[in-house]
Amino acid sequence: MYTSRGYVTWRASCKGATLHRKTRSALSNALSAEVVTGSTAWIGRGLSCVCAQRRESDARLSFDMTPSQEECLQRLQNRIDVSYDNTNKDHQDALKSLWYASFPGTELLDLISEQWKEMGWQGKDPSTDFRGGGFISLENLLFFAKNFPRSFQELLKKQNGNRALWEYPFAVAGVNITFMLIQMLDLQAAKPRTLLGAIFLKLLSENERAFDILYCIAFKLMDQQWLSMHASYMDFNTVMKATRRQLEQELLMEDVQRIEDMPSYRLLSR
């Protein structure tokens, strides 16, 4: 499980607040130079690997939210708290929608089917892989498929670059990315306790779909890291660490005032 603690001393209202150039620069340099170590946790079975990291020397952040920011964060937390329920018709319909967005024109035989392995689920029942990410991880995948279909299909079908013999399973990697982002941004806390969480709340207040868009960015960036590192199946945890570091660095950039300002946003194509 990701349990990063990236504290700094800073008190501000997030919306409209601008971090001092030196503060962001120093933190970005620290992240860049950091050697990340930690234990490994697993979601579900098999590949579902995410890495843990803790920075013992970071200072604690003090942060106050406006009422509108509280509402925005609460709505996202309400989504995070929803577990996937394979008896819930809305959840079943969302899963079917994901299939048809992924494989247009191919009939889905059943919600429990060997067909799901084509998408990179670990078995014939995708619900068993949602334990770590909850229903929001399905929502993230569906958002990606509908809003950036070209990028989604490129990743699903591994169309870019020289691929490894042992590739990461697409869908399970997606669940891990959801989980990683929740932990990285400390989104289950009552209010931001990290600088990254505070910065993200500002982005969320500007665009309520910021988490879903960040997910798409993270997925595309993860695949780019995978290719540049010539990674294979057992390197997934290392790739996730590198992806997280890159996301942290970009969020700390002074010019990132909207989620679309992140440099890696340009990797996405519709």
Side-chain angles (χ1 to χ4, degrees):
M1 180 183 295
Y2 269 92
T3 55
S4 175
R5 291 289 182 265
Y7 297 121
V8 297
T9 302
W10 179 57
R11 183 182 296 274
S13 174
C14 188
K15 187 172 178 62
T18 301
L19 296 180
H20 195 279
R21 182 190 299 271
K22 291 183 179 179
T23 302
R24 286 199 177 200
S25 177
L27 285 162
S28 183
N29 290 340
L31 286 169
S32 180
E34 178 187 52
V35 176
V36 180
T37 60
S39 60
T40 298
W42 299 83
I43 303 174
R45 312 185 307 271
L47 171 70
S48 312
C49 172
V50 290
C51 50
Q53 49 185 314
R54 181 179 294 274
R55 303 181 185 96
E56 302 296 346
S57 61
D58 290 336
R60 183 172 293 275
L61 170 68
S62 180
F63 179 81
D64 296 319
M65 295 187 294
T66 66
S68 63
Q69 290 163 1
E70 290 180 2
E71 292 176 9
C72 207
L73 179 60
Q74 186 60 58
R75 283 194 293 271
L76 179 56
Q77 289 176 332
N78 289 342
R79 292 178 61 196
I80 291 170
D81 288 342
V82 177
S83 299
Y84 181 82
D85 181 356
N86 58 9
T87 66
N88 184 311
K89 187 177 184 303
D90 289 339
H91 292 196
Q92 294 174 351
D93 289 344
L95 190 56
K96 292 176 185 176
S97 295
L98 176 62
W99 174 266
Y100 289 110
S102 302
F103 303 105
T106 301
E107 183 182 0
L108 176 65
L109 301 179
D110 199 343
L111 287 177
I112 299 178
S113 168
E114 294 291 333
Q115 287 177 287
W116 288 108
K117 294 180 181 179
E118 298 177 34
M119 194 184 297
W121 299 105
Q122 295 179 105
K124 60 184 181 179
D125 182 3
S127 68
T128 62
D129 288 324
F130 283 123
R131 296 187 189 115
F135 183 60
I136 193 172
S137 60
L138 172 54
E139 291 181 314
N140 289 157
L141 280 165
L142 192 54
F143 178 90
F144 193 7
K146 290 185 174 181
N147 289 273
F148 301 99
R150 182 176 174 183
S151 288
F152 181 88
Q153 289 293 330
E154 288 174 350
L155 298 187
L156 172 63
K157 297 175 181 176
K158 307 292 196 305
Q159 291 176 337
N160 294 334
N162 295 319
R163 314 303 306 200
L165 179 62
W166 297 100
E167 278 287 324
Y168 64 85
F170 172 80
V172 173
V175 175
N176 274 270
I177 290 169
T178 297
F179 183 81
M180 180 268 285
L181 291 176
I182 292 170
Q183 297 299 303
M184 182 183 86
L185 300 171
D186 198 21
L187 290 177
Q188 291 174 306
K191 67 178 185 177
R193 299 180 297 185
T194 68
L195 176 63
L196 290 170
I199 290 172
F200 176 73
L201 184 54
K202 177 182 183 300
L203 304 181
L204 187 65
S205 68
E206 297 290 343
N207 184 345
E208 199 162 359
R209 305 303 301 198
F211 184 79
D212 301 89
I213 296 172
L214 183 62
Y215 171 88
C216 301
I217 293 171
F219 212 142
K220 188 68 176 176
L221 182 59
M222 186 277 291
D223 189 74
Q224 187 182 68
Q225 294 276 5
W226 179 273
L227 291 173
S228 67
M229 296 169 67
H230 305 288
S232 62
Y233 187 91
M234 296 305 294
D235 300 315
F236 185 74
N237 200 35
T238 301
V239 172
M240 288 289 283
K241 288 179 181 179
T243 302
R244 173 170 174 158
R245 286 196 297 270
Q246 182 65 33
L247 290 170
E248 290 173 333
Q249 290 166 11
E250 291 192 17
L251 286 168
L252 288 169
M253 291 179 177
E254 183 181 16
D255 293 339
V256 175
Q257 302 298 318
R258 304 176 307 135
I259 194 70
E260 295 86 354
D261 294 334
M262 292 182 65
S264 291
Y265 179 79
R266 67 175 66 100
L267 295 174
L268 296 171
S269 56
R270 299 179 187 274

